[in-house]
Amino acid sequence: MRAVVCRAFGPIDGLELGEMPAPALPEDGVRIRVRAAGINFADILVVAGTYQEKPSLPFVPGLELAGEIVEIGAMATRFRMGQRVMATVGTGAFAAEAVARENDVFALPDGMDFATGAAFPVAYGTAHLGLTHRASLKAGEILMVHGAAGGVGLAAVEIGKAVGATVIATASSAEKLALARAHGADHTIDYTKEDVRARLRDIAPRGVDVALDPVGGDAFTASLRTIGWEGRIIIVGFAGGTVPQIPANHLLVKNASAMGFYWGAYRAREPELVCASMAEAAAWAVAGKLRPHISATLKLAEAAKGLKLLADRKATGKVVLTVDG
Ligand SMILES: NC(=O)c1ccc[n+]([C@@H]2O[C@H](COP(=O)([O-])OP(=O)(O)OC[C@H]3O[C@@H](n4cnc5c(N)ncnc54)[C@H](OP(=O)(O)O)[C@@H]3O)[C@@H](O)[C@H]2O)c1
C-alpha cells in the first residue's frame, strides 16, 4: 500500500512516500481505508525517536485518521462494513490503509467530513478528557490554556467554553490570539511579549482554577505563579522543549495540584471512559459547540511539509493530509 515511510529515526525531512505491506488485521480490530489523516506534534517526536513509545523501523507515522471500514476482525462487533469512522492508532495513519482496535475507533458523525474527522480524535479527545475528567473543570471556573492556537490548545479553548468556563488564551502572536478569540476565548495574552502574571492580576485576581499546558517551560512557570486556591495544572506536553521542574512549595501553599495527563494511556486502560468522552465531544461538534479549525490541507506526499508547519510554529488548529483513492 502507498504510505509515508520512516526508515531511520531523525529529522522529518527523512520521510519518504513509498510502499509498505498492508498491516495485519487484529481479531479485535478493523481495517480502514484512510481518506484523511491528522498531523500531531507527537508525530515529530515519534519520527525523531524521542517519543515515549518507540516503534520498530521501518514504520508508517501518523496517530489519527478518518475513513471507511473495509474489513472487520473476527472478534470485532461494534462497526459495520463501509461505516465512516475516525480512529487513533499508535502509528500507521499516513497510509492508504490502517488497522485500529475497535476501542480506538469512533463513529464519524453525519455531516462531519473526513478531514474534520481526521483532525478530531487526538486534539478534542485530549482536551475533553483532560478538562472534564482529569481537571474536573466546572461552569463558572477560570481556565487558562497555553499554546491556545495549537491543535490541543484550540480544542481546549472550545471545550472550556462548552463547559461554561471563562477562558484565558495564551499564544505567541496577535494572529494566533485572534484565532483563539474567534473560537471563544474571553481574554488573550501574548506570552512572548506580555507578563502573564501581571495581566492576570486584572483578569483573574484570585488566580485561575485550571491551567492546561501543552507547552511547558515558561508557560508552566506562569501557571504555577497564577494558579488559584485548589487550582489544577494539567500537564499535557512540552512543545516548547523544556520539561519543567516543580517547586512543591508553590503547590502546598495554595492547595493546588499539578497533574500529568496522557490521553493515550487512558485509551489503553479505560477505553469505556474514552469512548464516553469522545461521544460527548462528537455530540458537541454536531451541536455546533465545537468548530475544528484546519489551517492547512495537504497531500499524503507532503507529510514532511505538514510536520514542518508544526515544528516551525506556523500551524494553527490542525494540519490534515488527504489520501486519494
Ligand atoms: N498528554 C497527551 O495525552 C497529549 C495529547 C496530545 C498532544 N500532546 C502534546 O501536546 C503538545 C501539543 O501538541 P499539538 O499536536 O497540539 O501541537 P501543535 O498543534 O503544534 O501546538 C503546539 C503549540 O505549542 C506552542 N509552542 C511553543 N513553543 C513551541 C516550539 N518550540 N515548537 C512548536 N510549538 C511550540 C505553539 O504555540 P505558540 O506559537 O503560540 O507558542 C503551538 O501552537 C505536544 O507536546 C504533544 O506531544 C499530549
Side-chain angles (χ1 to χ4, degrees), residues 41 126 150-152 171-172 176 191 214 236 238-240 261-263 313:
F41 191 87
T126 300
V152 172
S172 65
K176 288 186 173 186
Y191 55 15
V236 172
F238 316 108
F261 179 71
Y262 179 28
W263 186 64
R313 291 168 90 166

Side-chain angles (χ1 to χ4, degrees), residues 128 131-132 136-143 155-168 184 186 209-210 280 284 289-290:
H128 184 278
L131 290 175
T132 62
S136 305
L137 180 70
K138 293 172 203 64
E141 288 194 314
I142 299 177
L143 166 69
V157 168
E158 292 190 340
I159 298 278
K161 289 312 296 177
V163 168
T166 296
V167 177
I168 303 166
D186 300 280
D209 298 299
V210 174
E280 182 164 73
W284 287 356
K289 292 181 184 175
L290 310 177

Side-chain angles (χ1 to χ4, degrees), residues 93-271:
F94 299 170
E97 277 184 16
V99 295
R101 295 177 321 140
E102 258 196 327
N103 283 339
D104 293 331
V105 182
F106 313 97
L108 192 63
D110 289 344
M112 186 183 279
D113 60 27
F114 288 122
T116 307
F120 199 82
V122 174
Y124 285 90
T126 300
H128 184 278
L129 198 68
L131 290 175
T132 62
H133 173 73
R134 195 79 178 97
S136 305
L137 180 70
K138 293 172 203 64
E141 288 194 314
I142 299 177
L143 166 69
M144 177 160 64
V145 178
H146 294 305
V152 172
L154 200 57
V157 168
E158 292 190 340
I159 298 278
K161 289 312 296 177
V163 168
T166 296
V167 177
I168 303 166
T170 73
S172 65
S173 72
E175 295 74 24
K176 288 186 173 186
L177 292 172
L179 181 69
R181 206 175 263 280
H183 284 255
D186 300 280
H187 306 276
T188 57
I189 303 174
D190 184 333
Y191 55 15
T192 59
K193 296 194 181 76
E194 298 178 272
D195 179 342
V196 176
R197 200 175 174 188
R199 284 290 314 282
L200 282 181
R201 267 185 222 121
D202 298 328
I203 301 170
R206 285 184 291 177
V208 302
D209 298 299
V210 174
L212 184 127
D213 185 9
V215 176
D218 292 344
F220 181 85
T221 306
S223 300
L224 205 57
R225 294 265 156 75
T226 58
I227 197 73
W229 173 254
E230 290 193 333
R232 291 88 74 199
I233 302 172
I234 306 301
I235 302 162
V236 172
F238 316 108
T242 305
V243 178
Q245 304 301 306
I246 304 173
N249 55 326
H250 287 246
L251 300 176
L252 184 150
V253 293
K254 291 176 182 168
N255 280 299
S257 313
M259 304 174 177
F261 179 71
Y262 179 28
W263 186 64
Y266 276 102
R267 278 169 40 221
R269 286 167 178 259
E270 298 193 54

Side-chain angles (χ1 to χ4, degrees), residues 4-21:
V4 175
V5 186
C6 177
R7 298 195 185 279
F9 293 116
I12 43 193
D13 298 336
L15 292 175
E16 57 184 61
L17 188 64
E19 291 288 324
M20 284 285 276

